[in-house]
Amino acid sequence: MPEIRRDPIFDRWVIFSKERAARPYDFQEGAAPRPHGRCDFCEGHEAQTPPETFAVRESGSPANGPGWRVRVVPNKYPALRSGESAECHSHGLFSFMVGAGVHEVIIESPRHLVRLSELADEQLVEVFTVYRDRLAALRLDPRIRSGILFKNVGRDAGASLEHVHSQLVGLPLVPPAVQAACETSRDYYLRTGETIWSRLIAEEIAADIRVVQVTPGFLVICPFASRFSFETWILPRRPHARFDEIAPDELAELARLVQDVTQRIERAVEKSSYNLVFHTAPFDGNLAGHYQWHVEILPRIARTAGFEWGSGCFINSTLPEEAARTLRTAKP
Amino acid sequence: MPEIRRDPIFDRWVIFSKERAARPYDFQEGAAPRPHGRCDFCEGHEAQTPPETFAVRESGSPANGPGWRVRVVPNKYPALRSGESAECHSHGLFSFMVGAGVHEVIIESPRHLVRLSELADEQLVEVFTVYRDRLAALRLDPRIRSGILFKNVGRDAGASLEHVHSQLVGLPLVPPAVQAACETSRDYYLRTGETIWSRLIAEEIAADIRVVQVTPGFLVICPFASRFSFETWILPRRPHARFDEIAPDELAELARLVQDVTQRIERAVEKSSYNLVFHTAPFDGNLAGHYQWHVEILPRIARTAGFEWGSGCFINSTLPEEAARTLRTAKP
């Protein structure tokens, strides 16, 4: 069983999972990617994954066989496992809990595609609908206190398999960094009567130097303190804490916008690897109030090194104002 | 001029330096490393770096020519620049300051060696003496509030040049993560009357399951909540906040111990890339009191991905108890 441990001095939580070490890996140096016929995520290879939790399927097609368009399975090499309830124990300075939680893989095409940008429009919207619904399902589990939905694209972004997919982790805790951002959001609201997110959106639209796109529902910016070159955030203009309560028309707009933005990044950055992260409020109601769900796209060009791990600060060689200018003109 | 910006919601500081993008790079995929004759850090190529700030030299040898054993130069592609004083400005939600600070490179051998483990004993102790003295010099600069000394070894650890070297960054701020650890240390002391670091050392020695080595002056452990597989900390057993006040005999012991531990990691982990970070208290006296300087060695085997960047938590596939067992037997 995995275990979750807390560092008593640096307030960091670490999930220990031996099983992760056994993962297969598509990106061996010098090796060719696995062809369609050998990929466990391709249609026809359903027996290679754990039985599906959910799937969008042709009506009448049986579970765990072909006929699906989007398929959700438990991660075969999970960071966390569903099971007994997560109680926090401590022994002297050290706190730890059983690694109880959820770790799902969302397989986003039955074909061996490798980029979100390759998905047809209808497929794309179905994938985003699954994102929303799986997060909503996680919220119903009383042991789960927060959820992280993410996609790793390319070797430098930590992907192990290239077949287009995302991952959903349900944690039995609220990560300290998320908790701190929620508290900042709450404190700002109590002090000013408006949310810090609305203020951020208003200031960015007024300054108009870090804006990549403004659409009816969303603002796309390269944030003022981007950690990574070409870091891009997609913010809903109507503040809302929970991604899984997004309206269907907004969801379709978001799906197309994420595809558009990742295509721009692929044009601007050669061989781009990136992480895509959905931030949504923790499930505990009293903290979540003034947070805002949003999407962050984090291109992984430079490598984090001793300075970043030692200080928690970042060094970035591209100003967000320049990155936004490049992305504005890098039309898909 | 570089600029330092703060994210208003996530309390992160980012240094923006365009010049970093121009760095040469020894680790191009498929390319052979640069031979001795083409490396700017080798003896005889002193004109390829900015003029030296400090050097350990044969007596009588002129600055910026051959004859040195350890050489300190300003980074040619600096994250921060010395210059005007760092004042914090703000504009709406956004805080920023001029990127005033120090960014030095410590070149640790006139020969083209690539690992600390290749240094002869006398050279090694001289290098560590330079670490101490450069940090002490930084403390005298009233604009500098904290210093980070680090070494990146190997491509996966973010190194750009392979010639054995370290870097020293002097920041005009105290990073939030360092500030938080100092506050935790202070609060623990006020509550219990002992430092959290002494308590940690006592608990680790008593448990004796994450200990790699105990020497007269130091404890080497794989920490309870290791972020990385084979993460290793070297803790002085006599608590002290400032590395630059280390006694000469302790410094020599530390130098040999760091070399011993990196050799163990090189034996245990094939093609190991790692970051080595010296943590020392910020220079502001009132915060520093109950912190403890220490060395962290962070092997970079797995890549950080969307989960880590989205949650601030980590996933590690190696328990520190196992890592310590392996390192205990991986004698150099």
Side-chain angles (χ1 to χ4, degrees), chain A residues 196-245:
Chain A
I196 194 167
W197 298 89
S198 304
R199 185 80 223 134
L200 179 75
I201 288 167
E203 288 190 12
E204 286 293 11
I205 290 177
D208 199 22
I209 47 176
R210 286 176 292 272
V211 172
V212 179
Q213 264 174 292
V214 192
T215 72
F218 297 91
L219 172 67
V220 183
I221 55 168
C222 295
F224 176 75
S226 297
R227 289 156 288 177
F228 301 99
S229 287
F230 293 94
E231 176 170 343
T232 306
W233 291 6
I234 302 175
L235 299 159
R237 292 174 65 183
R238 195 167 56 84
H240 197 70
R242 301 176 169 185
F243 167 65
D244 49 300
E245 291 176 355

Side-chain angles (χ1 to χ4, degrees), chain A residues 3 5-21 23 25 29-30 79 91-96 103 148 150-152 155-159 169 171 173 175-178 180-181 184-185 188 196-197 199-201 203-204 210 223-228 231 233 275-277 279 291 294 296 298 300 302-307 309-322, chain B residues 3 5-21 23 25 29-30 79 91-96 103 148 150-152 155-159 169 171 173 175-178 180-181 184-185 188 196-197 199-201 203-204 210 223-228 231 233 275-277 279 291 294 296 298 300 302-307 309-322:
Chain A
E3 189 177 315
R5 297 182 175 187
R6 176 178 174 274
D7 185 279
I9 298 171
F10 294 97
D11 194 19
R12 287 186 293 244
W13 287 93
V14 181
I15 300 173
F16 287 91
S17 166
K18 284 182 77 157
E19 301 164 45
R20 298 289 290 161
R23 282 181 294 172
Y25 193 67
E29 202 124 1
H91 185 266
L93 286 177
F94 302 125
S95 306
F96 56 96
H103 191 172
I148 305 272
F150 59 97
K151 174 189 282 299
N152 303 327
R155 175 190 138 104
D156 287 339
V169 172
L171 291 167
L173 56 89
V178 175
T184 298
S185 302
Y188 189 91
I196 194 167
W197 298 89
R199 185 80 223 134
L200 179 75
I201 288 167
E203 288 190 12
E204 286 293 11
R210 286 176 292 272
F224 176 75
S226 297
R227 289 156 288 177
F228 301 99
E231 176 170 343
W233 291 6
N275 302 115
L276 191 151
V277 183
H279 284 250
Y291 196 65
H294 65 284
E296 297 184 0
L298 310 172
R300 302 288 299 281
R303 279 166 221 270
T304 51
F307 176 75
W309 296 118
S311 66
C313 301
F314 293 82
I315 300 174
N316 185 341
S317 59
T318 312
L319 281 168
E321 293 79 10
E322 283 168 44
Chain B
E3 190 177 315
R5 299 181 173 187
R6 177 179 174 273
D7 185 279
I9 298 172
F10 293 97
D11 192 20
R12 285 187 293 245
W13 288 93
V14 181
I15 300 173
F16 288 92
S17 166
K18 285 181 76 158
E19 302 165 44
R20 297 289 291 161
R23 281 181 295 170
Y25 192 67
E29 202 127 0
H91 185 265
L93 286 178
F94 302 125
S95 307
F96 56 97
H103 191 173
I148 305 272
F150 60 96
K151 176 191 279 301
N152 303 326
R155 176 190 138 104
D156 288 338
V169 172
L171 291 166
L173 56 89
V178 175
T184 298
S185 302
Y188 188 90
I196 194 167
W197 297 90
R199 184 82 223 132
L200 179 74
I201 288 168
E203 287 191 11
E204 287 293 12
R210 287 176 291 273
F224 176 75
S226 298
R227 290 156 288 176
F228 302 99
E231 176 171 344
W233 293 5
N275 303 115
L276 190 151
V277 184
H279 284 250
Y291 196 64
H294 64 284
E296 297 184 359
L298 311 171
R300 303 288 299 281
R303 279 166 221 270
T304 50
F307 176 75
W309 296 118
S311 67
C313 301
F314 293 82
I315 300 174
N316 185 342
S317 60
T318 313
L319 282 168
E321 293 78 10
E322 283 168 45

